C-alpha cells in the first residue's frame, strides 16, 4: 500500500517535474519564435519600406512625365491659338489696309466724277446755246429761202417727197423687171431640174391591173365538186360573191372574173377554204363567204397601217387608214390606186425637201390625194373624187394645207398653199409613166359600175352583179317585196333603163333571181 502510494507520488512528482520542464522548454521555444518572428517582421517591414520607396519614386516619375506631356500639349494648343490669332490679326490688318486703299480710290473717283459732271454741265450749257443759235440761223435761212423761192417749207418738202417717190418707183420697177426677166430665164430650168431629180430618185415598176384571177386546183376532180349537182354550188358562190366563175378546159385552174378586185379576192379565198375543208354546199358557201368578207376587212386595215408606217406618217385617223387599205383593191385607169398613192407620196416628199418645204406634210397629202376614189356605196357618186377626198380629210381633222392640196389637185378649187401644185405635179408624174394607166380599162370598169348602179335604182333589189364582161347583169331581189310577176316586170324595166341611159357594145342580158327560203331550227 505504501509502495503504491510512493509510486503514485513519484509518478505525480515526475509528471509535475516533466510538466515544469515542458513549460520551461516551451517558453524558451516561444521566445525564440517571437524573436525570429520579430526579425522576420522587421525584415518584411524593411523590404516593404524599400519597395514602397521604389514605387513612390516610380509614381513620382510617371506623374512628372504625365505633367510634362500635358504641359507640352497645352503649350501646343496655346501656340496654335496664338498662331490663329496672329493670322486673324494679320488678315484684319490686310483688310483694313485694303479698305483704306479702296476708300482712297473711291474718294479719287468721286472727285473725278464731280469734275467730269461739272465739265459736262458746262458743255451742255454751251451746246444748248449753240443749238439755240443754230435754230435761229436755220429759221432765218428757211425764211430767206421761202422769200427767194416763193414757197413755204411744207410745200418745198412735199415737192421733194414727190420727186423722191417718182425716182424710187422707177428704180423699183426697173429692179423688179430685171428680177422678173432673170426668174423667167432660170425658173423653168430649175423646175425641170427638181422634177427630173425627183423622178430619178423614185423608181417604181409599171402598174397594170386586170379583171380576172386564176384559182389553181390540185386536180380536175375538184371542178366537179365546185360546180355541184346541177350547178348548185357554183350558182351559190356567184350569188354570194358577185364574181363570175369560169370553169373550162384549162387544166387545174378556174378563172374568177369581176371588175371589183375585192370581190375577186373574197371569191378566191372562199374557194381556197372550201376546197381545203372539202365541204362544199350552199349553206357552207354562204358561211365561208361571210367569214372571208370579215377577214378581208381586217386585212384592209392592216394594209393601211403598214402603208402609213412605211411612209413615216403618224397621227392618221383610223377611218383614213381604212380608206388607204381599201386602195389596194381599187384601180385608176388600170393603175393600182395604193401603188399610185404611195408613189405620189414619195415623189411629194422628195420634191418638198428639194424646195425647202415640210416633206412629212407633203407625203401625207400625196398619200391621201385619191381617197375620194374609194367611196362607200351610199355616197353620192356624182361628187368629184378630189372634193369628196377633201371633205373626208376635213371631217377627220387633217390640216388645211393637206385638205386644200387634196381638193385642188384637179383644179376643182383654188390652190391656197405651196403643197397643192406639188401634189398636182407628182400625180401627173405618176400617171404619165409608160404603161402606168389604161384608159380603156377604166371606162370598162365604169360601165360595169353604172350597170350595177342602174339595178340598185329600183326598189326591192338586194344585190346586183355585172358579169360576163358587162354582157350580163344578174339581179337578186328580196322575195318579200318582189313577186314572180314583178320580177319579170323588173327585168324588163332594167333592160329599158340600160338601153336608154347607157352606151355599150353588143347586148346586155338582165337576169332577175327571186328565191324563197324557209328556215327552222330544231332544238
Amino acid at each position: 500500500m505504501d509502495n503504491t502510494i510512493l509510486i503514485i507520488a513519484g509518478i505525480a512528482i515526475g509528471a509535475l517535474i516533466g510538466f515544469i520542464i515542458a513549460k520551461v522548454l516551451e517558453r524558451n521555444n516561444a521566445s525564440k519564435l517571437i524573436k525570429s518572428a520579430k526579425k522576420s517582421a522587421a525584415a518584411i517591414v524593411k523590404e516593404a519600406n524599400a519597395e514602397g520607396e521604389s514605387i513612390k519614386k516610380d509614381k513620382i516619375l510617371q506623374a512628372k512625365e504625365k505633367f510634362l506631356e500635358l504641359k507640352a500639349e497645352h503649350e501646343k494648343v496655346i501656340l496654335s491659338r496664338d498662331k490663329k490669332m496672329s493670322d486673324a490679326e494679320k488678315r484684319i490688318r490686310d483688310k483694313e489696309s485694303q479698305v483704306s486703299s479702296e476708300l482712297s480710290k473711291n474718294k479719287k473717283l468721286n472727285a473725278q466724277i464731280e469734275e467730269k459732271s461739272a465739265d459736262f454741265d458746262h458743255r451742255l450749257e454751251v451746246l444748248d446755246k449753240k443749238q439755240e443759235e443754230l435754230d435761229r440761223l436755220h429759221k432765218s435761212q428757211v425764211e430767206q429761202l421761202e422769200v427767194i423761192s416763193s414757197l413755204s417749207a411744207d410745200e418745198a418738202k412735199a415737192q421733194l417727197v414727190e420727186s423722191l417717190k417718182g425716182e424710187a418707183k422707177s428704180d423699183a420697177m426697173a429692179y423688179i423687171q430685171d428680177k422678173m426677166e432673170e426668174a423667167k430665164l432660170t425658173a423653168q430650168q430649175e423646175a425641170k431640174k427638181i422634177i427630173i431629180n425627183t423622178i430619178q430618185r423614185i423608181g417604181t415598176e409599171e402598174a397594170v391591173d386586170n379583171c380576172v384571177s386564176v384559182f389553181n386546183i390540185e386536180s380536175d376532180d375538184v371542178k366537179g365538186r365546185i360546180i355541184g349537182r346541177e350547178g348548185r354550188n357554183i350558182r351559190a358562190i356567184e350569188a354570194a360573191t358577185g364574181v363570175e366563175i369560169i370553169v373550162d378546159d384549162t387544166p387545174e385552174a378556174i378563172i374568177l372574173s369581176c371588175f371589183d378586185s375585192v370581190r375577186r379576192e373574197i371569191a378566191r379565198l372562199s374557194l381556197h377554204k372550201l376546197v381545203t375543208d372539202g365541204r362544199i354546199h350552199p349553206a357552207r358557201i354562204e358561211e365561208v363567204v361571210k367569214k372571208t368578207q370579215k377577214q378581208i376587212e381586217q386585212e384592209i386595215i392592216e394594209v393601211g397601217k403598214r402603208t402609213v408606217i412605211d411612209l413615216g406618217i403618224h397621227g392618221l385617223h383610223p377611218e383614213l387608214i381604212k380608206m388607204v387599205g381599201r386602195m389596194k383593191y381599187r384601180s385608176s385607169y388600170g393603175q393600182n390606186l395604193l401603188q399610185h398613192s404611195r408613189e405620189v407620196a414619195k415623189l411629194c416628199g422628195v420634191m418638198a425637201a428639194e424646195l425647202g418645204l415640210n416633206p412629212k406634210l407633203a407625203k401625207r397629202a400625196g398619200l391621201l390625194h385619191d381617197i375620194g376614189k374609194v367611196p362607200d356605196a351610199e355616197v353620192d357618186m356624182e361628187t368629184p373624187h378630189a372634193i369628196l377626198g377633201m371633205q373626208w380629210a376635213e371631217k377627220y381633222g387633217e390640216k388645211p394645207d393637206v385638205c386644200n392640196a387634196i381638193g385642188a389637185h384637179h383644179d376643182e378649187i383654188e390652190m391656197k398653199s405651196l403643197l397643192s401644185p406639188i401634189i398636182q405635179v407628182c400625180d401627173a408624174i405618176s400617171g404619165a409613166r409608160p404603161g402606168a394607166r389604161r384608159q380603156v380599162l377604166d371606162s370598162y370598169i365604169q360601165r360595169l359600175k353604172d350597170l350595177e348602179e342602174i339595178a340598185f335604182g329600183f326598189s326591192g333589189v338586194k344585190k346586183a352583179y355585172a358579169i360576163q364582161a358587162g354582157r350580163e347583169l344578174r339581179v337578186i331581189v328580196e322575195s318579200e317585196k318582189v313577186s314572180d310577176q314583178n320580177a319579170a316586170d323588173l327585168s324588163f324595166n332594167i333592160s329599158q333603163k340600160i338601153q336608154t341611159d347607157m352606151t355599150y357594145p353588143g347586148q346586155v342580158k338582165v337576169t332577175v333571181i327571186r328565191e324563197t327560203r324557209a328556215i327552222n331550227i330544231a332544238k
Side-chain angles (χ1 to χ4, degrees), residues 84-353:
K84 289 180 180 178
M85 290 177 66
S86 62
D87 292 340
E89 290 175 355
K90 184 178 179 182
R91 287 197 298 272
I92 290 168
R93 287 194 298 271
D94 293 339
K95 291 285 184 182
E96 288 177 351
S97 62
Q98 186 177 358
V99 168
S100 61
S101 63
E102 292 291 335
L103 287 172
S104 61
K105 287 181 181 178
N106 287 334
K107 287 179 181 179
K108 290 180 180 178
L109 288 173
N110 286 332
Q112 292 177 1
I113 289 169
E114 288 176 357
E115 291 177 1
K116 288 182 178 180
S117 178
D119 186 21
F120 287 147
D121 291 338
H122 177 68
R123 290 184 179 183
L124 285 173
E125 291 177 0
V126 173
L127 287 173
D128 290 339
K129 291 179 181 179
K130 289 183 177 180
Q131 186 65 36
E132 291 176 358
E133 184 68 20
L134 285 172
D135 291 341
R136 186 179 59 79
L137 292 173
H138 177 70
K139 188 175 180 181
S140 63
Q141 288 178 356
V142 170
E143 290 174 354
Q144 290 177 6
L145 288 172
E146 287 178 353
V147 172
I148 294 170
S149 61
S150 299
L151 293 173
S152 64
D154 293 336
E155 293 174 350
K157 190 185 294 184
Q159 289 184 3
L160 180 61
V161 169
E162 288 296 328
S163 64
L164 290 175
K165 277 185 180 179
E167 185 178 355
K169 188 174 182 181
S170 62
D171 292 342
M173 290 299 292
Y175 179 77
I176 291 171
Q177 189 66 26
D178 292 340
K179 290 300 177 182
M180 288 291 290
E181 293 295 331
E182 183 180 354
K184 287 179 180 178
L185 292 174
T186 59
Q188 189 173 4
Q189 183 179 359
E190 290 296 324
K192 288 181 179 179
K193 181 179 178 182
I194 291 173
I195 291 172
I196 291 171
N197 187 25
T198 304
I199 295 172
Q200 286 176 345
R201 291 171 63 181
I202 303 294
T204 58
E205 298 178 356
E206 295 181 358
V208 179
D209 199 6
N210 52 36
C211 291
V212 296
S213 297
V214 178
F215 178 71
N216 296 315
I217 56 178
E218 295 180 356
S219 65
D220 289 339
D221 297 338
V222 180
K223 291 182 180 180
R225 294 168 58 193
I226 293 174
I227 295 171
R229 182 179 298 175
E230 298 177 357
R232 176 176 65 176
N233 292 342
I234 195 169
R235 284 198 304 271
I237 295 172
E238 290 179 347
T241 61
V243 175
E244 181 185 1
I245 300 178
I246 302 171
V247 181
D248 53 15
D249 296 336
T250 305
E252 298 181 356
I254 294 175
I255 298 174
L256 309 177
S257 176
C258 181
F259 70 95
D260 191 337
S261 54
V262 177
R263 294 184 197 169
R264 288 205 314 274
E265 185 66 14
I266 292 172
R268 188 187 67 81
L269 292 176
S270 300
L271 276 175
H272 177 72
K273 291 179 181 179
L274 290 168
V275 171
T276 304
D277 184 44
R279 295 177 294 167
I280 306 176
H281 52 82
R284 177 65 177 166
I285 288 168
E286 291 183 359
E287 180 184 353
V288 170
V289 168
K290 288 180 180 178
K291 289 182 179 179
T292 307
Q293 286 175 347
K294 293 180 180 179
Q295 179 183 344
I296 290 295
E297 290 176 0
Q298 187 63 33
E299 183 180 350
I300 284 171
I301 296 173
E302 294 298 326
V303 169
K305 289 181 179 179
R306 287 198 301 269
T307 301
V308 296
I309 290 171
D310 291 343
L311 294 175
I313 297 172
H314 305 285
L316 205 63
H317 195 277
E319 287 298 326
L320 294 179
I321 293 176
K322 189 175 180 180
M323 291 178 187
V324 170
R326 289 171 63 187
M327 289 182 183
K328 178 181 177 182
Y329 301 103
R330 293 290 185 273
S331 60
S332 175
Y333 298 98
Q335 186 178 23
N336 183 270
L337 197 58
L338 181 59
Q339 294 179 5
H340 167 65
S341 298
R342 287 173 64 99
E343 184 178 346
V344 171
K346 292 179 180 179
L347 288 168
C348 291
V350 175
M351 192 172 289

Side-chain angles (χ1 to χ4, degrees), residues 75-92:
E75 288 177 353
K76 287 180 181 178
V77 172
I78 291 172
L79 288 173
S80 64
R81 288 180 180 176
D82 291 341
K83 186 177 180 182
K84 289 180 180 178
M85 290 177 66
S86 62
D87 292 340
E89 290 175 355
K90 184 178 179 182
R91 287 197 298 272
I92 290 168

Side-chain angles (χ1 to χ4, degrees), residues 353-389:
E354 292 287 339
L355 295 173
L357 301 176
N358 188 345
K360 291 185 178 180
L361 206 62
K363 280 185 180 181
R364 199 182 192 94
L367 179 64
L368 300 177
H369 79 285
D370 268 348
I371 57 173
K373 290 185 177 181
V374 286
D376 296 327
E378 65 271 9
V379 176
D380 185 9
M381 297 295 292
E382 295 180 358
T383 305
H385 75 274
I387 302 299
L388 192 59

